[in-house]
Amino acid sequence: MTDACISCGACEAECPVSSITAGDDAYVIDAGSCIDCGSCAGACPVDAPQPE
């Protein structure tokens, strides 16, 4: 995630492999289980999920 994350949670529900969890200030993507499908990016209103 980028600093643009507004902690809305839209991305978490869209992740088919449950790689996204709520962090202290923003949602966090677990790079180890992420399959780079882009579902979270499509759901995010501020384009916070970015490929690493």
Side-chain angles (χ1 to χ4, degrees), residues 10-33:
C11 60
E12 185 178 22
E14 294 300 316
C15 184
V17 292
S18 300
S19 292
I20 303 174
T21 54
D24 291 337
D25 299 321
Y27 277 75
V28 178
I29 299 173
D30 175 20
S33 60

Side-chain angles (χ1 to χ4, degrees), residues 29-51:
I29 299 173
D30 175 20
S33 60
C34 176
I35 59 172
D36 294 321
C37 67
S39 293
C40 59
C44 182
V46 295
D47 296 325
Q50 297 294 320

